[in-house]
Amino acid sequence: MKTKKIINDGANAVDEMLEGVLAAHSAKVFALDHSPRSIIARDGPRPGKVGMVIGGGSGHEPSFLGFVGKGLADAAAIGNVFASPPPDPIIECTKAVNNGAGVLYMYGNYAGDVMNFDMAAEMVAMEDIEVRTVLTTDDVASAPADQRDKRRGVAGNVFVFKAAGAACDKMLPIDECERIARKANDRTFTFGVALSPCSLPQTLKPNFTLGEDEMEVGMGIHGEPGISKEKLKPADAITDELMDKILDEMAAPKGDRVAVIVNSLGSTPLMELYIMMRQVKKRLDQAGLALHLSLVGNYCTSLEMAGASITVMHLDAELQEMIDHPCDCAMFRAG
Amino acid sequence: MKTKKIINDGANAVDEMLEGVLAAHSAKVFALDHSPRSIIARDGPRPGKVGMVIGGGSGHEPSFLGFVGKGLADAAAIGNVFASPPPDPIIECTKAVNNGAGVLYMYGNYAGDVMNFDMAAEMVAMEDIEVRTVLTTDDVASAPADQRDKRRGVAGNVFVFKAAGAACDKMLPIDECERIARKANDRTFTFGVALSPCSLPQTLKPNFTLGEDEMEVGMGIHGEPGISKEKLKPADAITDELMDKILDEMAAPKGDRVAVIVNSLGSTPLMELYIMMRQVKKRLDQAGLALHLSLVGNYCTSLEMAGASITVMHLDAELQEMIDHPCDCAMFRAG
Amino acid sequence: MSEITAANLISMFAEIAKAMAESKAHLCELDGVIGDADHGIAMDLGFSTVATNLAAPDITAADPTTVFNTAAKSFLNAVGASSGPLYATAFMRAGASVKGKTVLTASDFADAFIAMAKGIQDRGKAEIGDKTMIDAWVPAAEAVESAKTQGASLAEILDKAGKAAEAGAEATKAMIASKGRSARLGERAIGHIDPGAASTAILIRAMGKGLG
Amino acid sequence: MSEITAANLISMFAEIAKAMAESKAHLCELDGVIGDADHGIAMDLGFSTVATNLAAPDITAADPTTVFNTAAKSFLNAVGASSGPLYATAFMRAGASVKGKTVLTASDFADAFIAMAKGIQDRGKAEIGDKTMIDAWVPAAEAVESAKTQGASLAEILDKAGKAAEAGAEATKAMIASKGRSARLGERAIGHIDPGAASTAILIRAMGKGLG
Ligand SMILES: Nc1ncnc2c1ncn2[C@@H]1O[C@H](COP(=O)(O)OP(=O)(O)O)[C@@H](O)[C@H]1O
Ligand SMILES: Nc1ncnc2c1ncn2[C@@H]1O[C@H](COP(=O)(O)OP(=O)(O)O)[C@@H](O)[C@H]1O
Ligand SMILES: [Mg+2]
Ligand SMILES: [Mg+2]
Ligand SMILES: [Mg+2]
Ligand SMILES: [Mg+2]
């Protein structure tokens, strides 16, 4: 049985999606003529500003291209579904947003992305563009706490990118932008569960299987298996399991402030996310943490996968300022 | 087989969702102490302003409660899943937003909503609150064009509410607010398809069945059957079928401007919506119509139903001004 | 039962609640075909709330009108939807028709029943043949009327009403809807029983049982 | 085949493209278990693009290095992902190793093959036992090396390479991954073949067929 999707030829899904994005959001973003998978902010890159290039595979919308715009990323390099972009569009993004102050690469920590972005960085270095790379590693499910650099980047991207994008928008020098980006990543924690699979547009076949009453704890945003399969539990119990781990790792002192994302992996609707949000708030209250800001909805998806993740960012005064900084992107406005 | 959902007891889903919404968006909205299903904008109701009350069943999030806020609705009355709210929360909303300039009721044209809102209107009339009611009837699938008043209100709500909310926010008198609301509705057309069903949280059973390769054209946002079952077609063909009908009814002269919503019914991801958007733009170009604004995403959903709808609003100078007017709601910011 | 007290009415609503709980899945299924699949949920939730509110200790001393009014308000606020205002209006009218009485005769109850059907018609403005619960309520009310005229017992009256409602519900199968959610379905509604008509028949049967 | 021309290499890539098209679903399935289910799509898309670009009329006059470099760039830009940089590096290294030659001997090709394996190791920094395509490439390169030393024919060399790669791929079943997407899986990866190792074996077999 094939998954039903509103697509034409699955092989063209990414390029056709991009055409639609450009049609809908031409006021905010454009694609480079000579590199149609390089999406650039109309308002953002400017003299003296550190350029910020994000990117990754498609299928995670609004990540990554939806976060291109004033106050956030200057450009996104777009890959095939669940596949890192090759170096070329990354290089073209880099050149398009380089204004002499250096360029920050930010993306999730996946082998493919690392290889492709590193190749791009090597090549633009030959043209004397200074590139700094900050990988996001917010997924607590993907490696033990003492191997943080092995972890994947998932929905926490949104906060980490947002903080870094604000630093760039405030015209801070590249050292500062990099420092803030790293701090944002260090203080951001995500954990999620998947309830049902998604299908790639080219195959229309579910990319994994789960029993009728099972959920996958720690599922990756490409359907990579997680930590364990468990019996589906009530929303409060799921939220507790995720928050236990996050709060434990975050170890935030009472009175501190946090920002939260309750993120749908694709098909889990707002009703369920807000039911989780209710329990997130209870847990924060119990931990004596103040909820500064919440995003609830589709932020980092896996096509139509069912499930959700919780992200908590442990704020300090600086990160709070960055998170509150306005941004105006194709698919995301804040501040 | 039961649908997997992240919920606790399905019977509490709506109230728990509301708690989560209030936790996440306490800066924007609050619930009345004595009527927890009456959600009120913190910034909105003010002396001399026409109050605007929207409402309907739950399960359509971000409709309706997500559209409460400065510049849009002043209050939403919340019903059970797919069920109109009873008169009580509507009455309480009305009293909370009444500032002596009258109150506008706006909601989709469904038998249940009409009966409940009418009962509420009768009761507040006894307290000398002037109520005007404008039903949304944008769903072209739900009755022939010459029986417009029999049509349902679906995703076009967003534009119609937005226009009316802007009129109220501009402190126009109730006659003007009503006139603009009616004009907005008259010029808004929605048509959609469903690819797979949703399940009510209380039953966890799919609320209709569709064959493996079928889609339901004109499906209602509660899973009410539509015009016809058809074989699933490519995205461009689906979009053409929807746009043919919309453009035909709209009969807009070349050079006019339109606003568009490509709306997910729940689980259809952004990739598919933007693929549709691409073809919408082509059709508008062919018709000589300028795309003034596009919303692509989850605006009026049916829990986790798969499918999408296209809404086109035929702008004139006045409606364009209303659509561009800023609003700042719990789940929607624009302008 | 020759005289109906408030307590009997409370038992009647408890019986209705039981019947709706049992029919919940079935009514949702019927509604799934031509509506939004929630009618069983609405009826179950509505009548279980009615039964709970009528089990409150301060109700026991109430008169029939108070029981009907409490039922009306409870049902309305728990349910909303289409069924909320329809049933709420029915029970309010029943309450009004027996106003001032502490016990009801079979004939009083028949009048209350007829007032209920009238209330639903007034609220929903549906006609016979529109494929709504009216197609069960109207023949049932007619059966009640003629049985009353013939001086039938309460049990006989309600049995005839139940039969008429069941036949009416069955007859909706052949109809095209023109009110409610299924009004947009056209010919596709043919062959399917209207869920509200089906719940009406169940309700009337449970009335008979509860007052039996 | 004792001498390999650019045209032969072009046929070889066509053969690889054919094999990957046939194995697309199988490779996606393998990747679905421990990765993100797209490896077959990447390999099919990558090599079909390579084959298309190598079928362009202006390529026919090219030397082996140009063929390898064109393959590298085409594959990389079509695919991205993990496999893009890995295979692109492999083909670039192969191109570099035969630089200046217009026809290749079996020994030249063996050197190119060994350079490919080395390139993938350099790019991905994976070790034997990490449960990646390296577990197929390294034993295959060793087999090529020893066959070459023994003066084996091209057909023999590639047959030994294919056998070694197949055995290497099979051996990944027993491994815990420590590179790539499945590195997070721990013990749950045991029992499943690494998709990249599987595609490596298919690729090497197709090389043999294409140059046979
Ligand atoms: N105007 C009306 N008059 C009488 N009955 C109606 C009317 N509209 C709807 N109904 C009845 O209501 C039933 C549906 O009730 P329910 O499913 O609880 O509400 P909703 O349609 O709001 O989901 C229909 O089957 C029909 O019998
Ligand atoms: N660092 C690495 N070194 C060698 N091979 C690797 C490395 N990382 C991943 N691979 C190989 O890539 C394969 C997956 O490729 P593919 O599915 O195309 O890319 P992605 O993992 O980006 O989806 C793995 O099965 C593994 O053999
Ligand atoms: Mg991939
Ligand atoms: Mg309903
Ligand atoms: Mg219903
Ligand atoms: Mg893969």
PDB file of all heavy atoms in Angstrom, chain B residues 82-84 111-112 115, chain C residues 31 36 38-39 42 81-83 86 120 124-126 131-134 179-181 194-197, ligand 1:
ATOM      1  N   PHE B  82     -15.473  19.065  17.234  1.00  0.00           N
ATOM      2  CA  PHE B  82     -16.431  19.094  16.120  1.00  0.00           C
ATOM      3  C   PHE B  82     -17.858  19.404  16.560  1.00  0.00           C
ATOM      4  O   PHE B  82     -18.820  18.994  15.908  1.00  0.00           O
ATOM      5  CB  PHE B  82     -16.420  17.768  15.337  1.00  0.00           C
ATOM      6  CG  PHE B  82     -15.128  17.504  14.623  1.00  0.00           C
ATOM      7  CD1 PHE B  82     -14.903  16.283  13.968  1.00  0.00           C
ATOM      8  CD2 PHE B  82     -14.119  18.445  14.566  1.00  0.00           C
ATOM      9  CE1 PHE B  82     -13.716  16.035  13.293  1.00  0.00           C
ATOM     10  CE2 PHE B  82     -12.918  18.203  13.903  1.00  0.00           C
ATOM     11  CZ  PHE B  82     -12.715  16.994  13.268  1.00  0.00           C
ATOM     12  N   ALA B  83     -18.016  20.113  17.649  1.00  0.00           N
ATOM     13  CA  ALA B  83     -19.359  20.441  18.129  1.00  0.00           C
ATOM     14  C   ALA B  83     -19.406  21.916  18.507  1.00  0.00           C
ATOM     15  O   ALA B  83     -18.526  22.412  19.209  1.00  0.00           O
ATOM     16  CB  ALA B  83     -19.711  19.585  19.351  1.00  0.00           C
ATOM     17  N   SER B  84     -20.436  22.584  18.074  1.00  0.00           N
ATOM     18  CA  SER B  84     -20.613  23.985  18.432  1.00  0.00           C
ATOM     19  C   SER B  84     -20.554  24.160  19.944  1.00  0.00           C
ATOM     20  O   SER B  84     -20.983  23.289  20.695  1.00  0.00           O
ATOM     21  CB  SER B  84     -21.984  24.457  17.944  1.00  0.00           C
ATOM     22  OG  SER B  84     -22.319  25.684  18.571  1.00  0.00           O
ATOM     23  N   ALA B 111     -25.461  23.962  11.187  1.00  0.00           N
ATOM     24  CA  ALA B 111     -26.734  23.948  11.915  1.00  0.00           C
ATOM     25  C   ALA B 111     -26.522  24.124  13.413  1.00  0.00           C
ATOM     26  O   ALA B 111     -27.186  24.938  14.060  1.00  0.00           O
ATOM     27  CB  ALA B 111     -27.473  22.647  11.629  1.00  0.00           C
ATOM     28  N   GLY B 112     -25.578  23.379  13.965  1.00  0.00           N
ATOM     29  CA  GLY B 112     -25.367  23.419  15.406  1.00  0.00           C
ATOM     30  C   GLY B 112     -24.893  24.793  15.867  1.00  0.00           C
ATOM     31  O   GLY B 112     -25.390  25.340  16.855  1.00  0.00           O
ATOM     32  N   MET B 115     -27.750  27.370  15.725  1.00  0.00           N
ATOM     33  CA  MET B 115     -28.732  27.266  16.816  1.00  0.00           C
ATOM     34  C   MET B 115     -28.155  27.785  18.134  1.00  0.00           C
ATOM     35  O   MET B 115     -28.822  28.509  18.876  1.00  0.00           O
ATOM     36  CB  MET B 115     -29.195  25.815  16.979  1.00  0.00           C
ATOM     37  CG  MET B 115     -30.119  25.375  15.840  1.00  0.00           C
ATOM     38  SD  MET B 115     -30.879  23.757  16.162  1.00  0.00           S
ATOM     39  CE  MET B 115     -29.675  22.653  15.461  1.00  0.00           C
TER      40      MET B 115
ATOM     41  N   ASP C  31     -23.315   8.413  12.222  1.00  0.00           N
ATOM     42  CA  ASP C  31     -22.975   9.804  11.954  1.00  0.00           C
ATOM     43  C   ASP C  31     -21.716   9.893  11.077  1.00  0.00           C
ATOM     44  O   ASP C  31     -21.552  10.843  10.311  1.00  0.00           O
ATOM     45  CB  ASP C  31     -22.761  10.554  13.277  1.00  0.00           C
ATOM     46  CG  ASP C  31     -22.842  12.078  13.138  1.00  0.00           C
ATOM     47  OD1 ASP C  31     -23.441  12.554  12.152  1.00  0.00           O
ATOM     48  OD2 ASP C  31     -22.294  12.777  14.006  1.00  0.00           O
ATOM     49  N   ASP C  36     -20.435  13.900  11.020  1.00  0.00           N
ATOM     50  CA  ASP C  36     -19.086  14.059  11.538  1.00  0.00           C
ATOM     51  C   ASP C  36     -18.741  13.087  12.648  1.00  0.00           C
ATOM     52  O   ASP C  36     -17.812  13.309  13.418  1.00  0.00           O
ATOM     53  CB  ASP C  36     -18.854  15.508  11.990  1.00  0.00           C
ATOM     54  CG  ASP C  36     -19.809  15.906  13.114  1.00  0.00           C
ATOM     55  OD1 ASP C  36     -20.745  15.137  13.396  1.00  0.00           O
ATOM     56  OD2 ASP C  36     -19.603  16.982  13.689  1.00  0.00           O
ATOM     57  N   ASP C  38     -19.825  12.140  15.477  1.00  0.00           N
ATOM     58  CA  ASP C  38     -19.793  12.414  16.911  1.00  0.00           C
ATOM     59  C   ASP C  38     -21.148  12.306  17.609  1.00  0.00           C
ATOM     60  O   ASP C  38     -21.251  12.622  18.794  1.00  0.00           O
ATOM     61  CB  ASP C  38     -19.200  13.809  17.170  1.00  0.00           C
ATOM     62  CG  ASP C  38     -20.079  14.931  16.618  1.00  0.00           C
ATOM     63  OD1 ASP C  38     -21.098  14.634  15.946  1.00  0.00           O
ATOM     64  OD2 ASP C  38     -19.739  16.103  16.835  1.00  0.00           O
ATOM     65  N   HIS C  39     -22.181  11.888  16.911  1.00  0.00           N
ATOM     66  CA  HIS C  39     -23.506  11.933  17.532  1.00  0.00           C
ATOM     67  C   HIS C  39     -23.588  11.045  18.777  1.00  0.00           C
ATOM     68  O   HIS C  39     -24.198  11.424  19.783  1.00  0.00           O
ATOM     69  CB  HIS C  39     -24.593  11.565  16.514  1.00  0.00           C
ATOM     70  CG  HIS C  39     -25.979  11.783  17.043  1.00  0.00           C
ATOM     71  ND1 HIS C  39     -26.398  13.003  17.520  1.00  0.00           N
ATOM     72  CD2 HIS C  39     -27.041  10.937  17.202  1.00  0.00           C
ATOM     73  CE1 HIS C  39     -27.664  12.907  17.939  1.00  0.00           C
ATOM     74  NE2 HIS C  39     -28.074  11.658  17.761  1.00  0.00           N
ATOM     75  N   ALA C  42     -21.974  12.859  21.618  1.00  0.00           N
ATOM     76  CA  ALA C  42     -22.831  13.940  22.120  1.00  0.00           C
ATOM     77  C   ALA C  42     -23.949  13.387  22.992  1.00  0.00           C
ATOM     78  O   ALA C  42     -24.222  13.888  24.092  1.00  0.00           O
ATOM     79  CB  ALA C  42     -23.397  14.736  20.946  1.00  0.00           C
ATOM     80  N   ALA C  81     -23.222  21.592  20.010  1.00  0.00           N
ATOM     81  CA  ALA C  81     -23.537  20.843  18.780  1.00  0.00           C
ATOM     82  C   ALA C  81     -24.946  21.156  18.282  1.00  0.00           C
ATOM     83  O   ALA C  81     -25.548  22.150  18.682  1.00  0.00           O
ATOM     84  CB  ALA C  81     -23.356  19.340  19.011  1.00  0.00           C
ATOM     85  N   SER C  82     -25.474  20.326  17.390  1.00  0.00           N
ATOM     86  CA  SER C  82     -26.862  20.481  16.951  1.00  0.00           C
ATOM     87  C   SER C  82     -27.806  19.896  17.979  1.00  0.00           C
ATOM     88  O   SER C  82     -28.871  20.446  18.274  1.00  0.00           O
ATOM     89  CB  SER C  82     -27.114  19.731  15.633  1.00  0.00           C
ATOM     90  OG  SER C  82     -26.224  20.138  14.648  1.00  0.00           O
ATOM     91  N   SER C  83     -27.406  18.763  18.528  1.00  0.00           N
ATOM     92  CA  SER C  83     -28.318  18.062  19.415  1.00  0.00           C
ATOM     93  C   SER C  83     -28.575  18.839  20.695  1.00  0.00           C
ATOM     94  O   SER C  83     -29.659  18.717  21.270  1.00  0.00           O
ATOM     95  CB  SER C  83     -27.810  16.651  19.729  1.00  0.00           C
ATOM     96  OG  SER C  83     -26.492  16.468  19.318  1.00  0.00           O
ATOM     97  N   LEU C  86     -31.447  21.346  20.316  1.00  0.00           N
ATOM     98  CA  LEU C  86     -32.667  20.612  19.958  1.00  0.00           C
ATOM     99  C   LEU C  86     -33.240  19.920  21.195  1.00  0.00           C
ATOM    100  O   LEU C  86     -34.402  20.118  21.557  1.00  0.00           O
ATOM    101  CB  LEU C  86     -32.377  19.595  18.849  1.00  0.00           C
ATOM    102  CG  LEU C  86     -31.991  20.208  17.490  1.00  0.00           C
ATOM    103  CD1 LEU C  86     -31.404  19.138  16.556  1.00  0.00           C
ATOM    104  CD2 LEU C  86     -33.193  20.895  16.825  1.00  0.00           C
ATOM    105  N   ILE C 120     -38.577  20.693  19.267  1.00  0.00           N
ATOM    106  CA  ILE C 120     -37.487  20.357  18.340  1.00  0.00           C
ATOM    107  C   ILE C 120     -37.791  20.919  16.951  1.00  0.00           C
ATOM    108  O   ILE C 120     -36.909  21.450  16.274  1.00  0.00           O
ATOM    109  CB  ILE C 120     -37.273  18.824  18.316  1.00  0.00           C
ATOM    110  CG1 ILE C 120     -36.654  18.418  19.662  1.00  0.00           C
ATOM    111  CG2 ILE C 120     -36.413  18.394  17.150  1.00  0.00           C
ATOM    112  CD1 ILE C 120     -36.457  16.939  19.846  1.00  0.00           C
ATOM    113  N   GLY C 124     -35.349  23.664  15.266  1.00  0.00           N
ATOM    114  CA  GLY C 124     -34.548  23.263  14.101  1.00  0.00           C
ATOM    115  C   GLY C 124     -35.180  23.599  12.765  1.00  0.00           C
ATOM    116  O   GLY C 124     -34.519  23.522  11.737  1.00  0.00           O
ATOM    117  N   LYS C 125     -36.463  23.933  12.776  1.00  0.00           N
ATOM    118  CA  LYS C 125     -37.182  24.288  11.546  1.00  0.00           C
ATOM    119  C   LYS C 125     -37.099  23.206  10.465  1.00  0.00           C
ATOM    120  O   LYS C 125     -37.186  23.508   9.271  1.00  0.00           O
ATOM    121  CB  LYS C 125     -36.670  25.610  10.957  1.00  0.00           C
ATOM    122  CG  LYS C 125     -36.464  26.703  11.987  1.00  0.00           C
ATOM    123  CD  LYS C 125     -37.315  27.927  11.694  1.00  0.00           C
ATOM    124  CE  LYS C 125     -37.521  28.816  12.908  1.00  0.00           C
ATOM    125  NZ  LYS C 125     -36.405  28.949  13.840  1.00  0.00           N
ATOM    126  N   ALA C 126     -36.917  21.977  10.872  1.00  0.00           N
ATOM    127  CA  ALA C 126     -36.882  20.901   9.879  1.00  0.00           C
ATOM    128  C   ALA C 126     -38.299  20.406   9.623  1.00  0.00           C
ATOM    129  O   ALA C 126     -39.182  20.503  10.479  1.00  0.00           O
ATOM    130  CB  ALA C 126     -35.995  19.756  10.365  1.00  0.00           C
ATOM    131  N   LYS C 131     -34.826  14.307   6.543  1.00  0.00           N
ATOM    132  CA  LYS C 131     -33.826  13.364   7.042  1.00  0.00           C
ATOM    133  C   LYS C 131     -33.165  13.890   8.313  1.00  0.00           C
ATOM    134  O   LYS C 131     -31.946  14.069   8.378  1.00  0.00           O
ATOM    135  CB  LYS C 131     -32.782  13.067   5.951  1.00  0.00           C
ATOM    136  CG  LYS C 131     -31.906  11.848   6.253  1.00  0.00           C
ATOM    137  CD  LYS C 131     -31.018  11.495   5.074  1.00  0.00           C
ATOM    138  CE  LYS C 131     -30.222  10.243   5.363  1.00  0.00           C
ATOM    139  NZ  LYS C 131     -30.477   9.167   4.403  1.00  0.00           N
ATOM    140  N   THR C 132     -33.987  14.173   9.298  1.00  0.00           N
ATOM    141  CA  THR C 132     -33.454  14.565  10.615  1.00  0.00           C
ATOM    142  C   THR C 132     -34.208  13.779  11.678  1.00  0.00           C
ATOM    143  O   THR C 132     -35.092  12.963  11.370  1.00  0.00           O
ATOM    144  CB  THR C 132     -33.662  16.066  10.921  1.00  0.00           C
ATOM    145  OG1 THR C 132     -35.070  16.287  11.101  1.00  0.00           O
ATOM    146  CG2 THR C 132     -33.143  16.950   9.803  1.00  0.00           C
ATOM    147  N   MET C 133     -33.918  14.099  12.925  1.00  0.00           N
ATOM    148  CA  MET C 133     -34.622  13.451  14.022  1.00  0.00           C
ATOM    149  C   MET C 133     -36.124  13.753  14.003  1.00  0.00           C
ATOM    150  O   MET C 133     -36.913  13.002  14.597  1.00  0.00           O
ATOM    151  CB  MET C 133     -34.021  13.848  15.377  1.00  0.00           C
ATOM    152  CG  MET C 133     -33.985  15.330  15.656  1.00  0.00           C
ATOM    153  SD  MET C 133     -33.393  15.669  17.350  1.00  0.00           S
ATOM    154  CE  MET C 133     -31.664  15.299  17.222  1.00  0.00           C
ATOM    155  N   ILE C 134     -36.492  14.807  13.284  1.00  0.00           N
ATOM    156  CA  ILE C 134     -37.913  15.134  13.132  1.00  0.00           C
ATOM    157  C   ILE C 134     -38.693  13.977  12.501  1.00  0.00           C
ATOM    158  O   ILE C 134     -39.860  13.734  12.838  1.00  0.00           O
ATOM    159  CB  ILE C 134     -38.034  16.424  12.275  1.00  0.00           C
ATOM    160  CG1 ILE C 134     -37.732  17.634  13.163  1.00  0.00           C
ATOM    161  CG2 ILE C 134     -39.389  16.570  11.604  1.00  0.00           C
ATOM    162  CD1 ILE C 134     -38.617  17.743  14.396  1.00  0.00           C
ATOM    163  N   LYS C 179     -31.390  19.273   5.925  1.00  0.00           N
ATOM    164  CA  LYS C 179     -31.017  20.049   7.120  1.00  0.00           C
ATOM    165  C   LYS C 179     -29.806  19.365   7.761  1.00  0.00           C
ATOM    166  O   LYS C 179     -29.576  18.177   7.559  1.00  0.00           O
ATOM    167  CB  LYS C 179     -32.151  20.053   8.158  1.00  0.00           C
ATOM    168  CG  LYS C 179     -33.269  21.050   7.907  1.00  0.00           C
ATOM    169  CD  LYS C 179     -32.914  22.437   8.407  1.00  0.00           C
ATOM    170  CE  LYS C 179     -34.041  23.451   8.202  1.00  0.00           C
ATOM    171  NZ  LYS C 179     -34.612  23.451   6.854  1.00  0.00           N
ATOM    172  N   GLY C 180     -29.032  20.144   8.520  1.00  0.00           N
ATOM    173  CA  GLY C 180     -27.915  19.549   9.254  1.00  0.00           C
ATOM    174  C   GLY C 180     -26.742  19.273   8.339  1.00  0.00           C
ATOM    175  O   GLY C 180     -26.738  19.627   7.169  1.00  0.00           O
ATOM    176  N   ARG C 181     -25.740  18.610   8.913  1.00  0.00           N
ATOM    177  CA  ARG C 181     -24.487  18.380   8.202  1.00  0.00           C
ATOM    178  C   ARG C 181     -24.633  17.618   6.908  1.00  0.00           C
ATOM    179  O   ARG C 181     -23.846  17.786   5.982  1.00  0.00           O
ATOM    180  CB  ARG C 181     -23.545  17.537   9.059  1.00  0.00           C
ATOM    181  CG  ARG C 181     -23.072  18.257  10.249  1.00  0.00           C
ATOM    182  CD  ARG C 181     -21.924  17.518  10.898  1.00  0.00           C
ATOM    183  NE  ARG C 181     -21.679  18.153  12.177  1.00  0.00           N
ATOM    184  CZ  ARG C 181     -21.046  19.294  12.313  1.00  0.00           C
ATOM    185  NH1 ARG C 181     -20.551  19.895  11.250  1.00  0.00           N
ATOM    186  NH2 ARG C 181     -20.883  19.852  13.492  1.00  0.00           N
ATOM    187  N   ASP C 194     -30.520   8.388   9.392  1.00  0.00           N
ATOM    188  CA  ASP C 194     -30.072   9.611  10.061  1.00  0.00           C
ATOM    189  C   ASP C 194     -29.758   9.307  11.525  1.00  0.00           C
ATOM    190  O   ASP C 194     -30.596   8.726  12.233  1.00  0.00           O
ATOM    191  CB  ASP C 194     -31.167  10.685   9.983  1.00  0.00           C
ATOM    192  CG  ASP C 194     -30.768  11.912  10.777  1.00  0.00           C
ATOM    193  OD1 ASP C 194     -29.819  12.592  10.360  1.00  0.00           O
ATOM    194  OD2 ASP C 194     -31.381  12.174  11.833  1.00  0.00           O
ATOM    195  N   PRO C 195     -28.576   9.687  11.989  1.00  0.00           N
ATOM    196  CA  PRO C 195     -28.194   9.339  13.368  1.00  0.00           C
ATOM    197  C   PRO C 195     -29.120   9.951  14.424  1.00  0.00           C
ATOM    198  O   PRO C 195     -29.426   9.285  15.433  1.00  0.00           O
ATOM    199  CB  PRO C 195     -26.768   9.878  13.496  1.00  0.00           C
ATOM    200  CG  PRO C 195     -26.558  10.804  12.335  1.00  0.00           C
ATOM    201  CD  PRO C 195     -27.486  10.349  11.253  1.00  0.00           C
ATOM    202  N   GLY C 196     -29.573  11.179  14.190  1.00  0.00           N
ATOM    203  CA  GLY C 196     -30.468  11.813  15.163  1.00  0.00           C
ATOM    204  C   GLY C 196     -31.809  11.094  15.240  1.00  0.00           C
ATOM    205  O   GLY C 196     -32.402  10.958  16.318  1.00  0.00           O
ATOM    206  N   ALA C 197     -32.296  10.611  14.110  1.00  0.00           N
ATOM    207  CA  ALA C 197     -33.540   9.838  14.107  1.00  0.00           C
ATOM    208  C   ALA C 197     -33.335   8.524  14.850  1.00  0.00           C
ATOM    209  O   ALA C 197     -34.202   8.076  15.622  1.00  0.00           O
ATOM    210  CB  ALA C 197     -34.004   9.593  12.670  1.00  0.00           C
TER     211      ALA C 197
HETATM  212  N1  LIG E   1     -32.357  21.617  11.945  1.00  0.00           N
HETATM  213  C1  LIG E   1     -32.491  20.400  12.479  1.00  0.00           C
HETATM  214  N2  LIG E   1     -33.662  19.948  12.910  1.00  0.00           N
HETATM  215  C2  LIG E   1     -33.792  18.741  13.476  1.00  0.00           C
HETATM  216  N3  LIG E   1     -32.770  17.903  13.645  1.00  0.00           N
HETATM  217  C3  LIG E   1     -31.579  18.304  13.221  1.00  0.00           C
HETATM  218  C4  LIG E   1     -31.359  19.541  12.627  1.00  0.00           C
HETATM  219  N4  LIG E   1     -30.034  19.647  12.316  1.00  0.00           N
HETATM  220  C5  LIG E   1     -29.460  18.494  12.716  1.00  0.00           C
HETATM  221  N5  LIG E   1     -30.398  17.692  13.268  1.00  0.00           N
HETATM  222  C6  LIG E   1     -30.199  16.361  13.828  1.00  0.00           C
HETATM  223  O1  LIG E   1     -28.976  16.349  14.535  1.00  0.00           O
HETATM  224  C7  LIG E   1     -28.301  15.152  14.236  1.00  0.00           C
HETATM  225  C8  LIG E   1     -26.819  15.331  14.398  1.00  0.00           C
HETATM  226  O2  LIG E   1     -26.536  15.610  15.741  1.00  0.00           O
HETATM  227  P1  LIG E   1     -25.045  15.698  16.266  1.00  0.00           P
HETATM  228  O3  LIG E   1     -24.196  14.761  15.507  1.00  0.00           O
HETATM  229  O4  LIG E   1     -25.081  15.490  17.725  1.00  0.00           O
HETATM  230  O5  LIG E   1     -24.645  17.207  15.983  1.00  0.00           O
HETATM  231  P2  LIG E   1     -23.661  17.812  14.866  1.00  0.00           P
HETATM  232  O6  LIG E   1     -24.353  17.670  13.554  1.00  0.00           O
HETATM  233  O7  LIG E   1     -23.514  19.227  15.285  1.00  0.00           O
HETATM  234  O8  LIG E   1     -22.399  17.018  14.907  1.00  0.00           O
HETATM  235  C9  LIG E   1     -28.699  14.824  12.816  1.00  0.00           C
HETATM  236  O9  LIG E   1     -28.610  13.436  12.582  1.00  0.00           O
HETATM  237  C10 LIG E   1     -30.148  15.301  12.774  1.00  0.00           C
HETATM  238  O10 LIG E   1     -31.032  14.282  13.156  1.00  0.00           O
END
